[in-house]
Amino acid sequence: TNLFLYNSGLSIIKDEYRLIKKLYFKYAKPNVKVMVISHNLNTKKAKTEKAIYRLKQLGIVKDWTITNFFSGKFEVDFTQFTEQTIKDSLLKTINKYDEEFSFENIQNTFRKRNKAYRKILNNDNYSKIDRYFLLLLQWSYNNFAYNRRQSLKTIYENSCKFADGIITSKEFKTTLEDYFKFTKSSYTLQHVAENPKDFEKWFEVFYEKEGKNNKISLFFIDFQEIKSLRDSLSRILESYMYNTGLDLISGLVRLLLNDYGNQDGSDRFKSAMEQIKNYEENEIDYIIKQILKIGKELDNKNKDNLSKSLLKFFDTKEFLIRLANELSDEYSAKILVANFTYKLKIINKRLYGRF
């Protein structure tokens, strides 16, 4: 039922694009007021108003007034727009929700989401204005449709765990309470959401501070607190499809809870590392140091998962040795042993002419 209602409320991008384009070319003129009538666009009042709102998001429309609610007449006030102001407004609109979004990132980083955006921006069959229309619609669909999907996912997973007897009724209740509860960690998570590159804050949620005699000690949070962190994080993730800081925290939380295969585990961790590998060298070193520090708290299986994921992005010999030394995981150790064995075989062949 939820999925049916969710899908029923979605507009098809190509239909919305055609309407926006028709509205733009039929009525939009810089710095003028015009009367827009729904039936002249062969559509309904609600869809006309949504198209006007899309033009406002692009900085083309300043404001509008409904002059006749029933027949769908709107007095629309257009701005002094240009192609450049439309591009700037598009970026400003998206950055309210996704600070890391930029045209440079679309072309230079290969996150999953950027594939659709690159396809739009690099399509010479569209004018630049057309591309901005489509990019806004694609981003809006990705962002807001994602919110609903993620919300459904959170409730569905918890309901399944309860129905399958994995968690008790008390644990189910606690999970729901943690979802809505505001704690020190949830405020830190919100800060990370709004400042995704403040990487020193990413790791604060995994530690508790205890002060005595003017001395501050840090303690790693316990298992129950990690579960509470997951539940608080699930609420915030509903609003952020991509956020480097939140994605990394989510990946580490799922590793600690032995749930790395979850969509909010491995996929988010790799998405974060895709961005992090482009940071400055000293920033990468700090982040990796903190990740490995948390990695020491993992069991053997998840140490291997962490090692495997990190080596996808940092596959040098030096990094492999660092992982083996600091994580003491089997995955990196096996690769090292295999490499050394291969070298020994080569030496044997040179010395004795055989393996």
Side-chain angles (χ1 to χ4, degrees):
T1 302
N2 279 301
L3 287 170
F4 170 77
L5 292 172
Y6 158 69
N7 282 314
S8 298
L10 292 176
S11 300
I12 298 173
I13 288 178
K14 65 179 182 181
D15 292 342
E16 198 172 349
Y17 163 68
R18 288 193 195 107
L19 179 56
I20 293 171
K21 188 173 179 179
K22 189 187 290 185
L23 174 64
Y24 176 80
F25 286 107
K26 190 175 181 68
Y27 293 104
K29 293 181 177 60
N31 215 27
V32 299
K33 278 188 179 183
V34 297
M35 186 65 71
V36 174
I37 304 172
S38 295
H39 67 73
N40 288 345
L41 295 167
N42 297 317
T43 190
K44 296 178 181 178
K45 171 193 169 289
K47 290 188 175 181
T48 301
E49 188 164 17
K50 189 175 182 182
I52 294 171
Y53 169 69
R54 292 295 190 204
L55 294 187
K56 189 176 191 306
Q57 287 182 300
L58 291 164
I60 297 168
V61 167
K62 187 187 296 182
D63 204 357
W64 72 93
T65 305
I66 302 173
T67 58
N68 190 312
F69 181 86
F70 297 101
S71 63
K73 289 184 180 179
F74 304 87
E75 186 178 72
V76 181
D77 187 4
F78 289 96
T79 65
Q80 188 64 45
F81 62 87
T82 63
E83 192 176 277
Q84 184 60 46
T85 65
I86 293 171
K87 181 180 180 180
D88 294 341
S89 295
L90 170 62
L91 192 58
K92 186 178 177 182
T93 294
I94 295 176
N95 284 157
K96 288 177 186 176
Y97 302 90
D98 182 357
E99 197 176 290
E100 295 176 285
F101 183 97
S102 71
F103 290 99
E104 293 74 20
N105 265 346
I106 289 173
Q107 300 291 9
N108 298 328
T109 61
F110 290 88
R111 272 182 164 181
K112 194 186 295 183
R113 67 161 176 183
N114 289 340
K115 185 177 180 181
Y117 299 151
R118 269 198 306 276
K119 190 175 179 181
I120 292 168
L121 286 178
N122 297 332
N123 192 330
D124 294 331
N125 293 323
Y126 295 119
S127 69
K128 284 188 178 180
I129 299 294
D130 288 338
R131 292 176 209 179
Y132 299 149
F133 291 162
L134 285 165
L135 194 61
L136 174 65
L137 293 173
Q138 185 67 59
W139 174 82
S140 295
Y141 174 81
N142 287 354
N143 193 62
F144 296 111
Y146 158 81
N147 292 353
R148 298 174 198 172
R149 292 198 309 272
Q150 189 72 11
S151 180
L152 285 172
K153 172 183 177 291
T154 301
I155 296 298
Y156 174 74
E157 286 182 344
N158 286 316
S159 298
C160 283
K161 286 177 186 176
F162 175 58
D164 295 340
I166 297 170
I167 58 175
T168 64
S169 57
K170 185 177 179 181
E171 288 173 317
F172 182 69
K173 179 175 178 287
T174 301
T175 299
L176 291 178
E177 287 173 349
D178 288 338
Y179 176 87
F180 291 106
K181 192 187 297 180
F182 281 91
T183 63
K184 185 180 177 183
S185 289
S186 58
Y187 285 112
T188 304
L189 291 172
Q190 190 59 49
H191 174 84
V192 172
E194 294 165 4
N195 305 275
K197 274 206 71 174
D198 189 0
F199 49 84
E200 291 184 4
K201 282 281 185 183
W202 298 353
F203 305 99
E204 283 188 9
V205 291
F206 295 100
Y207 300 94
E208 284 183 345
K209 290 181 181 179
E210 189 176 286
K212 198 173 183 180
N213 300 325
N214 295 323
K215 290 182 180 179
I216 302 292
S217 299
L218 289 177
F219 296 93
F220 198 77
I221 59 177
D222 62 31
F223 188 72
Q224 187 56 49
E225 288 168 322
I226 295 169
K227 289 202 289 186
S228 294
L229 176 59
R230 173 201 61 198
D231 298 333
S232 295
L233 183 59
S234 65
R235 183 184 70 248
I236 295 177
L237 287 177
E238 289 174 11
S239 300
Y240 296 90
M241 187 174 185
Y242 295 100
N243 180 289
T244 302
L246 295 179
D247 287 346
L248 185 73
I249 293 169
S250 185
L252 291 172
V253 165
R254 296 291 176 166
L255 278 166
L256 289 161
L257 293 174
N258 193 28
D259 192 23
Y260 195 52
N262 189 287
Q263 190 179 342
D264 291 330
S266 174
D267 287 353
R268 285 192 181 272
F269 186 85
K270 290 171 184 174
S271 176
M273 296 312 299
E274 183 70 44
Q275 288 292 101
I276 291 165
K277 72 177 184 180
N278 298 313
Y279 285 10
E280 298 293 329
E281 191 174 333
N282 63 312
E283 295 175 337
I284 294 173
D285 189 61
Y286 175 86
I287 292 167
I288 294 296
K289 183 179 178 182
Q290 296 303 318
I291 290 173
L292 294 181
K293 188 177 176 183
I294 292 169
K296 292 174 184 176
E297 304 289 334
L298 300 172
D299 60 22
N300 291 335
K301 171 190 167 185
N302 287 296
K303 281 182 179 179
D304 287 350
N305 284 332
L306 177 59
S307 182
K308 195 181 298 185
S309 293
L310 288 172
L311 285 169
K312 287 181 183 294
F313 301 94
F314 306 99
D315 59 352
T316 63
K317 178 184 174 184
E318 293 76 16
F319 189 74
L320 180 63
I321 293 171
R322 181 180 178 183
L323 280 181
N325 287 336
E326 294 190 37
L327 273 187
S328 301
D329 65 295
E330 290 183 9
Y331 184 78
S332 58
K334 282 179 181 177
I335 295 175
L336 277 176
V337 169
N339 288 345
F340 290 140
T341 302
Y342 179 74
K343 287 179 181 179
L344 285 171
K345 285 182 177 180
I346 295 298
I347 292 169
N348 257 350
K349 187 175 182 181
R350 287 175 182 168
L351 289 175
Y352 307 110
R354 64 182 187 279
F355 282 104

